[in-house]
Amino acid sequence: MGTTVWIFELFALLFVLLIGFGLAATLLMYVIDRTQTADAVRRNYPVIGRFRRLFTELGEFFRQYFFAMDREEMPFNRAQRDWIYRAAEGTDNTVAFGSTRNISLPGTPIFMNAAFPPLGDQYARTEPMLIGPTAREPYAAPSFFNISGMSYGALSRPAVRALSMGAKKANIWLNTGEGGLAPFHLEGGADIVYQIGTAKYGVRGPDGRLSDEKLREVAAYPQVKMFELKLAQGAKPGKGGILPGAKVDAEIAAIRGIPVGLPSESPNRHEEIDDWGDLLDMIGHIREVTGKPVGIKTVVGRVDPFAEFFDLILHRGPDSAPDFITIDGGEGGTGAAPMPLIDLVGMPIREALPRITDLRDQRGLHKRIRLVASGKLVNPGDVAWAICAGADFVVTARGFMFSLGCIQALKCNRNTCPTGVTTHDPRLQKGLVPRIKADKVAHFAASVIGEVETIAHSVGVAEPRLMRRRHVRIVQNDGRSIPMNEIYPSYSTQAVI
């Protein structure tokens, strides 16, 4: 009995102390809030005003899980994410009862089913497409759907490992992003596209300029199939990145070719490229040094300069052309960028891709220059639209991040990613097991490819690259849909793959 009384007295004492500490903390916060001058709400409403920030942060969580409808969230809604999650699991991805999509929204693509679609024995598998026919080592790319550029450093080590292994399983390419070639990119054995950013990470000399010796070292890896010279990306066109010195450990420094512990700033463009002529010179130089196909990645602002670019190619001769052009839409994503650039700069992929396709095809460069579409194209309908619009290939970064388990927590730039995809916190990285996630990456790629093939069969062609603009209608502001070949009529439906 005495022991029981003693325990109750101890709990009573702890309760009183807890109340006392609570009152003391409240008094301290009251004094701090009343005397600080940075936050007007806390100054006018001490202690209580602190809940405003808490509720603001919790609001993001509650909207995502409880209040937002399936098609409401941005940048990717729940319906898009759930499709990817199911595809990555390799489970049944059919839905029941009816579509939840509002097909009267302007810009919605509606594919035109054929009266007599091909039967099963009339289907054809998408053949590999040759890129860089004039390079010493052309690349026969096996898949029209691939992984877009994401740097090691922006992504965690286990995330890169999972993407590498998953890309190999799915027989698709993996773009390194501008952060250089890490050992983890090579682990899985996938085909690699090496991206060269404005800081030339991984292929730079001591002066920060492009090093032919480093280019040859990278090109010597048989897995490295192509080089992509990045001029701009959709989330931050015209802006280079800044890598804080705290992130430049010995490993990152060795991969990128920069000093340990010092911040590294990427210029907003390649300093040695002042015009289209310089760009073609650089492309030709990299192709000569490496022997591999070389392309560019950019964002369309004005269309007219690209007409000048293609005209210059014709003037110099088709051999001077880039082997591919990756068009990133202004809706593209990144780990961190200023909001005005993310929101307001760069032509959307839905407008940019058809326009650049037309410029290329009008000059007879379809076979010479392959077009790669990028920018928020994560579901089969997005990919099928891009192919109809003229893309030879489609790449996505965030789609594959979802396949790794990303939950769109919007914390990519805070090192607190709860799924281990974009964090370097070892505790959080433990949640991402590369061997398991690699299967999800492969399942997602296979699901997209399979369902794009299903759309192609529905519109009456044997395989996706036979789709044309006449096979899809685009909903207009008045709710009616118009065939895309009437909106962009200059596209030649006779273009030969």
Side-chain angles (χ1 to χ4, degrees):
M1 185 69 178
T3 302
T4 304
V5 172
W6 180 82
I7 291 175
F8 274 113
E9 289 178 348
L10 178 61
F11 274 108
L13 178 60
L14 291 174
F15 181 75
V16 171
L17 288 174
L18 184 63
I19 294 295
F21 280 127
L23 291 174
T26 301
L27 180 62
L28 179 62
M29 286 188 288
Y30 181 91
V31 173
I32 291 173
D33 290 348
R34 274 296 193 192
T35 55
Q36 61 85 32
T37 57
D39 189 328
V41 173
R42 285 170 51 203
R43 187 173 174 86
N44 290 335
Y45 303 94
V47 184
I48 295 175
R50 291 172 177 262
F51 286 94
R52 177 181 178 276
R53 182 171 182 179
L54 173 64
F55 291 152
T56 299
E57 293 180 354
L58 287 176
E60 182 179 291
F61 168 83
F62 283 108
R63 284 191 299 273
Q64 180 173 3
Y65 290 102
F66 298 106
F67 302 131
M69 299 292 287
D70 283 351
R71 302 275 181 181
E72 285 183 342
E73 289 181 275
M74 295 292 283
F76 296 93
N77 61 51
R78 186 181 295 118
Q80 291 174 300
R81 300 196 312 272
D82 284 350
W83 186 92
I84 296 173
Y85 295 148
R86 292 193 299 271
E89 290 288 346
T91 57
D92 177 46
N93 218 350
T94 58
V95 294
F97 202 71
S99 173
T100 61
R101 182 168 191 167
N102 181 358
I103 61 172
S104 64
L105 292 177
T108 300
I110 300 175
F111 296 92
M112 301 166 63
N113 59 290
F116 303 100
L119 298 172
D121 59 357
Q122 297 170 319
Y123 296 168
R125 294 195 62 83
T126 303
E127 295 294 326
M129 176 173 276
L130 190 70
I131 305 177
T134 64
R136 293 194 298 275
E137 298 180 44
Y139 176 43
S143 173
F144 61 78
F145 184 63
N146 300 280
I147 303 176
S148 189
M150 293 179 281
S151 301
Y152 172 59
L155 293 190
S156 67
R157 181 182 300 182
V160 173
R161 280 178 164 155
L163 289 173
S164 176
M165 292 187 287
K168 177 63 174 179
K169 289 174 182 285
N171 201 21
I172 61 178
W173 81 53
L174 168 65
N175 191 306
T176 63
E178 64 182 302
L181 183 66
F184 322 113
H185 287 116
L186 299 167
E187 276 188 14
D191 291 349
I192 299 292
V193 177
Y194 188 99
Q195 188 181 90
I196 304 173
T198 57
K200 318 293 195 299
Y201 290 133
V203 289
R204 56 189 273 149
D207 59 355
R209 300 180 73 84
L210 194 64
S211 165
D212 290 356
E213 181 183 353
K214 295 290 182 65
L215 277 173
R216 292 188 187 96
E217 289 177 5
V218 172
Y221 288 102
Q223 287 174 238
V224 176
K225 302 297 185 181
M226 301 195 296
F227 287 81
E228 180 180 75
L229 191 64
K230 192 182 90 167
L231 307 183
Q233 69 182 93
K236 48 183 178 182
K239 175 143 187 356
I242 299 176
L243 185 66
K247 287 190 174 183
V248 186
D249 58 19
E251 181 184 51
I252 294 293
I255 291 170
R256 299 198 178 198
I258 54 179
V260 177
L262 296 180
S264 179
E265 183 172 350
S266 300
N268 64 330
R269 67 175 176 88
H270 292 274
E271 296 174 344
E272 59 272 76
I273 301 177
D274 293 324
D275 54 33
W276 293 122
D278 290 343
L279 177 60
L280 291 180
D281 291 342
M282 176 69 82
I283 291 169
H285 178 77
I286 297 172
R287 186 163 48 222
E288 177 59 31
V289 171
T290 64
K292 307 288 178 78
V294 180
I296 62 172
K297 177 177 182 176
T298 192
V299 182
V300 178
R302 292 172 50 240
V303 175
D304 293 350
F306 286 87
E308 299 171 6
F309 181 46
F310 289 122
D311 288 339
L312 180 61
I313 291 170
L314 290 182
H315 176 72
R316 290 194 176 191
D319 286 355
S320 69
D323 297 304
F324 64 93
I325 299 176
T326 301
I327 302 296
D328 197 7
E331 62 273 72
T334 188
M339 184 177 289
L341 294 185
I342 283 182
D343 286 349
L344 303 171
V345 181
M347 189 180 291
I349 190 65
R350 305 274 172 176
E351 185 176 0
L353 178 60
R355 293 180 181 274
I356 300 304
T357 300
D358 290 342
L359 293 177
R360 178 197 65 172
D361 294 350
Q362 287 163 4
R363 288 157 178 80
L365 293 170
H366 185 277
K367 285 187 176 181
R368 180 67 188 87
I369 303 174
R370 302 306 188 186
L371 287 185
V372 184
S374 177
K376 215 175 179 184
L377 304 172
V378 301
N379 294 118
D382 304 321
V383 176
W385 169 87
I387 294 173
C388 287
D392 299 300
F393 301 92
V394 177
V395 295
T396 180
R398 288 172 290 178
F400 282 99
M401 287 175 66
F402 287 132
S403 75
L404 290 173
C406 167
I407 60 172
Q408 196 170 274
L410 307 180
K411 300 183 185 297
C412 306
N413 58 337
R414 304 180 195 174
N415 202 37
T416 57
C417 171
T419 58
V421 177
T422 63
T423 179
H424 294 279
D425 184 333
R427 180 181 64 85
L428 295 172
Q429 286 185 359
K430 288 180 180 178
L432 200 163
V433 181
R435 178 178 54 82
I436 302 299
K437 297 299 184 181
D439 288 335
K440 295 180 183 294
V441 168
H443 287 321
F444 168 57
S447 293
V448 170
I449 293 167
E451 297 213 9
V452 172
E453 289 174 342
T454 297
I455 293 173
H457 302 154
S458 178
V459 303
V461 298
E463 58 100 352
R465 286 204 181 104
L466 296 176
M467 291 191 292
R468 298 290 183 263
R469 295 182 188 180
R470 64 179 181 272
H471 292 126
V472 61
R473 302 174 69 91
I474 307 298
V475 177
Q476 304 300 295
N477 290 331
D478 61 2
R480 297 184 306 117
S481 64
I482 298 177
M484 186 159 59
N485 63 333
E486 293 183 15
I487 302 173
Y488 298 102
S490 59
Y491 177 72
S492 172
T493 57
Q494 303 304 314
V496 180
I497 298 295

